[in-house]
Amino acid sequence: MKRETKGKNVGTYETLNDVLVNLFRDISGIEQKAVRELGYLDITMNDLHVIEAIGAGEPKSMSSVARALSVTVGTLTIAVNSLVKKGYVIRQRSSEDRRVVLISLSARGKDVFKHHDSFHQSMIDSIVKELTPEELEALTRALTKLNSWFRGF
């Protein structure tokens, strides 16, 4: 007989927990391995997230990147200091408002961004080709709901 937890089937709970924990760990590990194979041995997963949030476009303010990452500007400053020392990020003052610090990717940072973006594209392409249109639609709906829940956490 299956137990119930808060009205939910325990087997389903355990399966979802295992899938979510393993997915997070596996994707992080695969991303880290892919970046290291390109020769970027000094990049952490946190560094990758910051690089991704900065993007390859125009410089962004520290506050906008911190908001995108759901961290404080102080926390982002520590990460950016490290990325500046490693040569991946450029920090400059806004010419319009000297109080505003803008950050952008260096050529080296843009290269990591490009390879990381390519990794994500390849990962999604691999998933999509394994699913029927109905499965893809259901997965997209479920992950969108899951993402909304995590964003509200």
Side-chain angles (χ1 to χ4, degrees), residues 6-36:
K6 295 184 183 179
K8 304 293 180 187
N9 181 299
V10 173
T12 300
Y13 168 85
E14 290 171 352
T15 299
L16 284 173
N17 184 62
D18 286 348
V19 168
L20 288 173
V21 168
N22 289 327
L23 266 174
F24 180 77
R25 186 192 64 229
D26 292 346
I27 291 171
S28 294
I30 292 166
E31 282 182 309
Q32 187 75 49
K33 182 180 174 191
V35 169
R36 291 197 187 286

PDB file of all heavy atoms in Angstrom, residues 6-36:
ATOM      1  N   LYS A   6       0.908  14.677   2.466  1.00  0.00           N
ATOM      2  CA  LYS A   6       0.168  15.904   2.161  1.00  0.00           C
ATOM      3  C   LYS A   6      -0.733  15.689   0.943  1.00  0.00           C
ATOM      4  O   LYS A   6      -0.779  16.506   0.038  1.00  0.00           O
ATOM      5  CB  LYS A   6       1.104  17.086   1.942  1.00  0.00           C
ATOM      6  CG  LYS A   6       1.878  17.479   3.172  1.00  0.00           C
ATOM      7  CD  LYS A   6       2.716  18.711   2.917  1.00  0.00           C
ATOM      8  CE  LYS A   6       3.547  19.042   4.139  1.00  0.00           C
ATOM      9  NZ  LYS A   6       4.389  20.181   3.947  1.00  0.00           N
ATOM     10  N   GLY A   7      -1.373  14.551   0.897  1.00  0.00           N
ATOM     11  CA  GLY A   7      -2.299  14.272  -0.197  1.00  0.00           C
ATOM     12  C   GLY A   7      -1.626  13.805  -1.474  1.00  0.00           C
ATOM     13  O   GLY A   7      -2.268  13.618  -2.487  1.00  0.00           O
ATOM     14  N   LYS A   8      -0.320  13.620  -1.460  1.00  0.00           N
ATOM     15  CA  LYS A   8       0.407  13.221  -2.669  1.00  0.00           C
ATOM     16  C   LYS A   8       0.951  11.807  -2.508  1.00  0.00           C
ATOM     17  O   LYS A   8       1.319  11.384  -1.418  1.00  0.00           O
ATOM     18  CB  LYS A   8       1.578  14.178  -2.955  1.00  0.00           C
ATOM     19  CG  LYS A   8       1.174  15.629  -3.087  1.00  0.00           C
ATOM     20  CD  LYS A   8       0.333  15.841  -4.314  1.00  0.00           C
ATOM     21  CE  LYS A   8      -0.048  17.319  -4.408  1.00  0.00           C
ATOM     22  NZ  LYS A   8      -0.964  17.608  -5.432  1.00  0.00           N
ATOM     23  N   ASN A   9       1.049  11.101  -3.572  1.00  0.00           N
ATOM     24  CA  ASN A   9       1.612   9.757  -3.600  1.00  0.00           C
ATOM     25  C   ASN A   9       3.109   9.840  -3.297  1.00  0.00           C
ATOM     26  O   ASN A   9       3.838  10.576  -3.937  1.00  0.00           O
ATOM     27  CB  ASN A   9       1.359   9.155  -4.985  1.00  0.00           C
ATOM     28  CG  ASN A   9       1.886   7.758  -5.106  1.00  0.00           C
ATOM     29  OD1 ASN A   9       3.076   7.526  -4.962  1.00  0.00           O
ATOM     30  ND2 ASN A   9       0.998   6.836  -5.387  1.00  0.00           N
ATOM     31  N   VAL A  10       3.566   9.065  -2.308  1.00  0.00           N
ATOM     32  CA  VAL A  10       4.973   9.093  -1.896  1.00  0.00           C
ATOM     33  C   VAL A  10       5.895   8.682  -3.041  1.00  0.00           C
ATOM     34  O   VAL A  10       6.952   9.262  -3.234  1.00  0.00           O
ATOM     35  CB  VAL A  10       5.203   8.208  -0.649  1.00  0.00           C
ATOM     36  CG1 VAL A  10       6.681   8.091  -0.330  1.00  0.00           C
ATOM     37  CG2 VAL A  10       4.464   8.777   0.548  1.00  0.00           C
ATOM     38  N   GLY A  11       5.495   7.692  -3.824  1.00  0.00           N
ATOM     39  CA  GLY A  11       6.323   7.262  -4.948  1.00  0.00           C
ATOM     40  C   GLY A  11       6.532   8.378  -5.946  1.00  0.00           C
ATOM     41  O   GLY A  11       7.645   8.574  -6.457  1.00  0.00           O
ATOM     42  N   THR A  12       5.480   9.146  -6.222  1.00  0.00           N
ATOM     43  CA  THR A  12       5.596  10.287  -7.132  1.00  0.00           C
ATOM     44  C   THR A  12       6.503  11.350  -6.531  1.00  0.00           C
ATOM     45  O   THR A  12       7.352  11.915  -7.212  1.00  0.00           O
ATOM     46  CB  THR A  12       4.198  10.888  -7.423  1.00  0.00           C
ATOM     47  OG1 THR A  12       3.393   9.879  -8.011  1.00  0.00           O
ATOM     48  CG2 THR A  12       4.295  12.080  -8.353  1.00  0.00           C
ATOM     49  N   TYR A  13       6.336  11.623  -5.230  1.00  0.00           N
ATOM     50  CA  TYR A  13       7.179  12.597  -4.538  1.00  0.00           C
ATOM     51  C   TYR A  13       8.654  12.204  -4.659  1.00  0.00           C
ATOM     52  O   TYR A  13       9.491  13.018  -5.027  1.00  0.00           O
ATOM     53  CB  TYR A  13       6.780  12.698  -3.059  1.00  0.00           C
ATOM     54  CG  TYR A  13       7.786  13.456  -2.226  1.00  0.00           C
ATOM     55  CD1 TYR A  13       7.746  14.836  -2.146  1.00  0.00           C
ATOM     56  CD2 TYR A  13       8.807  12.778  -1.561  1.00  0.00           C
ATOM     57  CE1 TYR A  13       8.686  15.532  -1.410  1.00  0.00           C
ATOM     58  CE2 TYR A  13       9.750  13.463  -0.823  1.00  0.00           C
ATOM     59  CZ  TYR A  13       9.690  14.837  -0.751  1.00  0.00           C
ATOM     60  OH  TYR A  13      10.637  15.517  -0.036  1.00  0.00           O
ATOM     61  N   GLU A  14       8.950  10.943  -4.340  1.00  0.00           N
ATOM     62  CA  GLU A  14      10.334  10.474  -4.382  1.00  0.00           C
ATOM     63  C   GLU A  14      10.906  10.547  -5.796  1.00  0.00           C
ATOM     64  O   GLU A  14      12.057  10.939  -5.989  1.00  0.00           O
ATOM     65  CB  GLU A  14      10.426   9.059  -3.829  1.00  0.00           C
ATOM     66  CG  GLU A  14      10.191   9.004  -2.339  1.00  0.00           C
ATOM     67  CD  GLU A  14      10.057   7.586  -1.795  1.00  0.00           C
ATOM     68  OE1 GLU A  14       9.996   6.627  -2.600  1.00  0.00           O
ATOM     69  OE2 GLU A  14      10.009   7.456  -0.564  1.00  0.00           O
ATOM     70  N   THR A  15      10.101  10.178  -6.774  1.00  0.00           N
ATOM     71  CA  THR A  15      10.556  10.232  -8.166  1.00  0.00           C
ATOM     72  C   THR A  15      10.864  11.667  -8.582  1.00  0.00           C
ATOM     73  O   THR A  15      11.919  11.944  -9.154  1.00  0.00           O
ATOM     74  CB  THR A  15       9.497   9.616  -9.112  1.00  0.00           C
ATOM     75  OG1 THR A  15       9.295   8.252  -8.746  1.00  0.00           O
ATOM     76  CG2 THR A  15       9.940   9.709 -10.564  1.00  0.00           C
ATOM     77  N   LEU A  16       9.920  12.596  -8.299  1.00  0.00           N
ATOM     78  CA  LEU A  16      10.146  14.004  -8.662  1.00  0.00           C
ATOM     79  C   LEU A  16      11.363  14.571  -7.947  1.00  0.00           C
ATOM     80  O   LEU A  16      12.156  15.303  -8.537  1.00  0.00           O
ATOM     81  CB  LEU A  16       8.910  14.847  -8.350  1.00  0.00           C
ATOM     82  CG  LEU A  16       7.758  14.706  -9.317  1.00  0.00           C
ATOM     83  CD1 LEU A  16       6.536  15.466  -8.811  1.00  0.00           C
ATOM     84  CD2 LEU A  16       8.142  15.185 -10.703  1.00  0.00           C
ATOM     85  N   ASN A  17      11.502  14.248  -6.666  1.00  0.00           N
ATOM     86  CA  ASN A  17      12.659  14.726  -5.916  1.00  0.00           C
ATOM     87  C   ASN A  17      13.954  14.220  -6.550  1.00  0.00           C
ATOM     88  O   ASN A  17      14.888  14.995  -6.774  1.00  0.00           O
ATOM     89  CB  ASN A  17      12.559  14.291  -4.459  1.00  0.00           C
ATOM     90  CG  ASN A  17      13.691  14.860  -3.631  1.00  0.00           C
ATOM     91  OD1 ASN A  17      13.835  16.071  -3.496  1.00  0.00           O
ATOM     92  ND2 ASN A  17      14.519  13.984  -3.099  1.00  0.00           N
ATOM     93  N   ASP A  18      14.007  12.935  -6.834  1.00  0.00           N
ATOM     94  CA  ASP A  18      15.202  12.354  -7.455  1.00  0.00           C
ATOM     95  C   ASP A  18      15.493  12.994  -8.809  1.00  0.00           C
ATOM     96  O   ASP A  18      16.638  13.341  -9.114  1.00  0.00           O
ATOM     97  CB  ASP A  18      15.051  10.837  -7.639  1.00  0.00           C
ATOM     98  CG  ASP A  18      15.176  10.070  -6.338  1.00  0.00           C
ATOM     99  OD1 ASP A  18      15.596  10.660  -5.327  1.00  0.00           O
ATOM    100  OD2 ASP A  18      14.828   8.869  -6.336  1.00  0.00           O
ATOM    101  N   VAL A  19      14.457  13.155  -9.625  1.00  0.00           N
ATOM    102  CA  VAL A  19      14.646  13.733 -10.960  1.00  0.00           C
ATOM    103  C   VAL A  19      15.170  15.165 -10.855  1.00  0.00           C
ATOM    104  O   VAL A  19      16.130  15.535 -11.535  1.00  0.00           O
ATOM    105  CB  VAL A  19      13.336  13.677 -11.786  1.00  0.00           C
ATOM    106  CG1 VAL A  19      13.437  14.526 -13.038  1.00  0.00           C
ATOM    107  CG2 VAL A  19      13.016  12.235 -12.153  1.00  0.00           C
ATOM    108  N   LEU A  20      14.551  15.987 -10.011  1.00  0.00           N
ATOM    109  CA  LEU A  20      14.981  17.386  -9.899  1.00  0.00           C
ATOM    110  C   LEU A  20      16.409  17.506  -9.363  1.00  0.00           C
ATOM    111  O   LEU A  20      17.226  18.261  -9.901  1.00  0.00           O
ATOM    112  CB  LEU A  20      14.020  18.179  -9.012  1.00  0.00           C
ATOM    113  CG  LEU A  20      12.656  18.472  -9.611  1.00  0.00           C
ATOM    114  CD1 LEU A  20      11.746  19.116  -8.578  1.00  0.00           C
ATOM    115  CD2 LEU A  20      12.784  19.364 -10.832  1.00  0.00           C
ATOM    116  N   VAL A  21      16.720  16.761  -8.318  1.00  0.00           N
ATOM    117  CA  VAL A  21      18.061  16.815  -7.733  1.00  0.00           C
ATOM    118  C   VAL A  21      19.100  16.333  -8.750  1.00  0.00           C
ATOM    119  O   VAL A  21      20.134  16.974  -8.953  1.00  0.00           O
ATOM    120  CB  VAL A  21      18.126  15.976  -6.434  1.00  0.00           C
ATOM    121  CG1 VAL A  21      19.563  15.777  -5.966  1.00  0.00           C
ATOM    122  CG2 VAL A  21      17.302  16.645  -5.344  1.00  0.00           C
ATOM    123  N   ASN A  22      18.812  15.214  -9.402  1.00  0.00           N
ATOM    124  CA  ASN A  22      19.764  14.668 -10.376  1.00  0.00           C
ATOM    125  C   ASN A  22      19.902  15.550 -11.610  1.00  0.00           C
ATOM    126  O   ASN A  22      21.004  15.711 -12.133  1.00  0.00           O
ATOM    127  CB  ASN A  22      19.378  13.244 -10.767  1.00  0.00           C
ATOM    128  CG  ASN A  22      19.617  12.266  -9.645  1.00  0.00           C
ATOM    129  OD1 ASN A  22      20.545  12.419  -8.856  1.00  0.00           O
ATOM    130  ND2 ASN A  22      18.770  11.262  -9.532  1.00  0.00           N
ATOM    131  N   LEU A  23      18.789  16.115 -12.093  1.00  0.00           N
ATOM    132  CA  LEU A  23      18.857  17.011 -13.247  1.00  0.00           C
ATOM    133  C   LEU A  23      19.751  18.203 -12.962  1.00  0.00           C
ATOM    134  O   LEU A  23      20.620  18.559 -13.772  1.00  0.00           O
ATOM    135  CB  LEU A  23      17.465  17.516 -13.631  1.00  0.00           C
ATOM    136  CG  LEU A  23      16.709  16.756 -14.681  1.00  0.00           C
ATOM    137  CD1 LEU A  23      15.296  17.317 -14.817  1.00  0.00           C
ATOM    138  CD2 LEU A  23      17.411  16.780 -16.015  1.00  0.00           C
ATOM    139  N   PHE A  24      19.537  18.834 -11.821  1.00  0.00           N
ATOM    140  CA  PHE A  24      20.351  20.000 -11.461  1.00  0.00           C
ATOM    141  C   PHE A  24      21.829  19.627 -11.389  1.00  0.00           C
ATOM    142  O   PHE A  24      22.680  20.285 -11.977  1.00  0.00           O
ATOM    143  CB  PHE A  24      19.877  20.588 -10.128  1.00  0.00           C
ATOM    144  CG  PHE A  24      20.674  21.780  -9.703  1.00  0.00           C
ATOM    145  CD1 PHE A  24      20.464  23.019 -10.287  1.00  0.00           C
ATOM    146  CD2 PHE A  24      21.650  21.663  -8.729  1.00  0.00           C
ATOM    147  CE1 PHE A  24      21.214  24.118  -9.916  1.00  0.00           C
ATOM    148  CE2 PHE A  24      22.405  22.758  -8.352  1.00  0.00           C
ATOM    149  CZ  PHE A  24      22.182  23.996  -8.937  1.00  0.00           C
ATOM    150  N   ARG A  25      22.122  18.548 -10.679  1.00  0.00           N
ATOM    151  CA  ARG A  25      23.511  18.112 -10.525  1.00  0.00           C
ATOM    152  C   ARG A  25      24.127  17.725 -11.877  1.00  0.00           C
ATOM    153  O   ARG A  25      25.246  18.130 -12.201  1.00  0.00           O
ATOM    154  CB  ARG A  25      23.584  16.932  -9.560  1.00  0.00           C
ATOM    155  CG  ARG A  25      25.031  16.530  -9.256  1.00  0.00           C
ATOM    156  CD  ARG A  25      25.153  15.201  -8.554  1.00  0.00           C
ATOM    157  NE  ARG A  25      24.651  14.153  -9.440  1.00  0.00           N
ATOM    158  CZ  ARG A  25      23.772  13.223  -9.072  1.00  0.00           C
ATOM    159  NH1 ARG A  25      23.291  13.200  -7.864  1.00  0.00           N
ATOM    160  NH2 ARG A  25      23.381  12.316  -9.937  1.00  0.00           N
ATOM    161  N   ASP A  26      23.383  16.962 -12.678  1.00  0.00           N
ATOM    162  CA  ASP A  26      23.920  16.491 -13.951  1.00  0.00           C
ATOM    163  C   ASP A  26      24.147  17.623 -14.943  1.00  0.00           C
ATOM    164  O   ASP A  26      25.190  17.680 -15.598  1.00  0.00           O
ATOM    165  CB  ASP A  26      22.993  15.437 -14.565  1.00  0.00           C
ATOM    166  CG  ASP A  26      22.958  14.143 -13.759  1.00  0.00           C
ATOM    167  OD1 ASP A  26      23.828  13.950 -12.889  1.00  0.00           O
ATOM    168  OD2 ASP A  26      22.040  13.334 -14.012  1.00  0.00           O
ATOM    169  N   ILE A  27      23.182  18.530 -15.055  1.00  0.00           N
ATOM    170  CA  ILE A  27      23.351  19.657 -15.982  1.00  0.00           C
ATOM    171  C   ILE A  27      24.525  20.524 -15.549  1.00  0.00           C
ATOM    172  O   ILE A  27      25.352  20.922 -16.376  1.00  0.00           O
ATOM    173  CB  ILE A  27      22.056  20.489 -16.103  1.00  0.00           C
ATOM    174  CG1 ILE A  27      20.981  19.676 -16.840  1.00  0.00           C
ATOM    175  CG2 ILE A  27      22.312  21.809 -16.839  1.00  0.00           C
ATOM    176  CD1 ILE A  27      19.597  20.309 -16.820  1.00  0.00           C
ATOM    177  N   SER A  28      24.629  20.796 -14.254  1.00  0.00           N
ATOM    178  CA  SER A  28      25.752  21.594 -13.755  1.00  0.00           C
ATOM    179  C   SER A  28      27.085  20.916 -14.066  1.00  0.00           C
ATOM    180  O   SER A  28      28.032  21.565 -14.510  1.00  0.00           O
ATOM    181  CB  SER A  28      25.628  21.822 -12.247  1.00  0.00           C
ATOM    182  OG  SER A  28      24.525  22.620 -11.954  1.00  0.00           O
ATOM    183  N   GLY A  29      27.146  19.622 -13.840  1.00  0.00           N
ATOM    184  CA  GLY A  29      28.380  18.883 -14.110  1.00  0.00           C
ATOM    185  C   GLY A  29      28.738  18.868 -15.584  1.00  0.00           C
ATOM    186  O   GLY A  29      29.910  19.043 -15.958  1.00  0.00           O
ATOM    187  N   ILE A  30      27.736  18.669 -16.433  1.00  0.00           N
ATOM    188  CA  ILE A  30      27.979  18.652 -17.882  1.00  0.00           C
ATOM    189  C   ILE A  30      28.428  20.030 -18.363  1.00  0.00           C
ATOM    190  O   ILE A  30      29.351  20.147 -19.174  1.00  0.00           O
ATOM    191  CB  ILE A  30      26.718  18.182 -18.639  1.00  0.00           C
ATOM    192  CG1 ILE A  30      26.436  16.704 -18.339  1.00  0.00           C
ATOM    193  CG2 ILE A  30      26.855  18.405 -20.137  1.00  0.00           C
ATOM    194  CD1 ILE A  30      25.050  16.238 -18.766  1.00  0.00           C
ATOM    195  N   GLU A  31      27.787  21.078 -17.850  1.00  0.00           N
ATOM    196  CA  GLU A  31      28.194  22.442 -18.226  1.00  0.00           C
ATOM    197  C   GLU A  31      29.635  22.712 -17.811  1.00  0.00           C
ATOM    198  O   GLU A  31      30.426  23.244 -18.580  1.00  0.00           O
ATOM    199  CB  GLU A  31      27.280  23.489 -17.561  1.00  0.00           C
ATOM    200  CG  GLU A  31      25.943  23.649 -18.225  1.00  0.00           C
ATOM    201  CD  GLU A  31      25.115  24.725 -17.561  1.00  0.00           C
ATOM    202  OE1 GLU A  31      24.967  24.698 -16.327  1.00  0.00           O
ATOM    203  OE2 GLU A  31      24.614  25.600 -18.287  1.00  0.00           O
ATOM    204  N   GLN A  32      29.961  22.352 -16.580  1.00  0.00           N
ATOM    205  CA  GLN A  32      31.313  22.575 -16.065  1.00  0.00           C
ATOM    206  C   GLN A  32      32.330  21.816 -16.910  1.00  0.00           C
ATOM    207  O   GLN A  32      33.364  22.363 -17.293  1.00  0.00           O
ATOM    208  CB  GLN A  32      31.406  22.121 -14.610  1.00  0.00           C
ATOM    209  CG  GLN A  32      32.710  22.465 -13.944  1.00  0.00           C
ATOM    210  CD  GLN A  32      32.819  23.924 -13.589  1.00  0.00           C
ATOM    211  OE1 GLN A  32      31.917  24.490 -12.998  1.00  0.00           O
ATOM    212  NE2 GLN A  32      33.904  24.552 -13.947  1.00  0.00           N
ATOM    213  N   LYS A  33      32.023  20.574 -17.236  1.00  0.00           N
ATOM    214  CA  LYS A  33      32.931  19.756 -18.045  1.00  0.00           C
ATOM    215  C   LYS A  33      33.123  20.366 -19.434  1.00  0.00           C
ATOM    216  O   LYS A  33      34.233  20.427 -19.949  1.00  0.00           O
ATOM    217  CB  LYS A  33      32.372  18.342 -18.166  1.00  0.00           C
ATOM    218  CG  LYS A  33      33.263  17.393 -18.939  1.00  0.00           C
ATOM    219  CD  LYS A  33      32.644  16.008 -19.027  1.00  0.00           C
ATOM    220  CE  LYS A  33      33.484  15.126 -19.921  1.00  0.00           C
ATOM    221  NZ  LYS A  33      32.811  13.876 -20.260  1.00  0.00           N
ATOM    222  N   ALA A  34      32.028  20.834 -20.049  1.00  0.00           N
ATOM    223  CA  ALA A  34      32.104  21.413 -21.390  1.00  0.00           C
ATOM    224  C   ALA A  34      32.999  22.655 -21.405  1.00  0.00           C
ATOM    225  O   ALA A  34      33.807  22.838 -22.324  1.00  0.00           O
ATOM    226  CB  ALA A  34      30.705  21.769 -21.898  1.00  0.00           C
ATOM    227  N   VAL A  35      32.894  23.488 -20.386  1.00  0.00           N
ATOM    228  CA  VAL A  35      33.719  24.699 -20.319  1.00  0.00           C
ATOM    229  C   VAL A  35      35.184  24.336 -20.078  1.00  0.00           C
ATOM    230  O   VAL A  35      36.086  24.890 -20.702  1.00  0.00           O
ATOM    231  CB  VAL A  35      33.189  25.659 -19.226  1.00  0.00           C
ATOM    232  CG1 VAL A  35      34.171  26.781 -18.967  1.00  0.00           C
ATOM    233  CG2 VAL A  35      31.846  26.226 -19.651  1.00  0.00           C
ATOM    234  N   ARG A  36      35.415  23.376 -19.222  1.00  0.00           N
ATOM    235  CA  ARG A  36      36.798  22.957 -18.942  1.00  0.00           C
ATOM    236  C   ARG A  36      37.448  22.343 -20.181  1.00  0.00           C
ATOM    237  O   ARG A  36      38.632  22.547 -20.426  1.00  0.00           O
ATOM    238  CB  ARG A  36      36.830  21.987 -17.773  1.00  0.00           C
ATOM    239  CG  ARG A  36      36.488  22.669 -16.458  1.00  0.00           C
ATOM    240  CD  ARG A  36      36.908  21.833 -15.273  1.00  0.00           C
ATOM    241  NE  ARG A  36      36.455  22.388 -14.023  1.00  0.00           N
ATOM    242  CZ  ARG A  36      36.956  23.459 -13.429  1.00  0.00           C
ATOM    243  NH1 ARG A  36      37.920  24.125 -13.991  1.00  0.00           N
ATOM    244  NH2 ARG A  36      36.491  23.885 -12.285  1.00  0.00           N
TER     245      ARG A  36
END
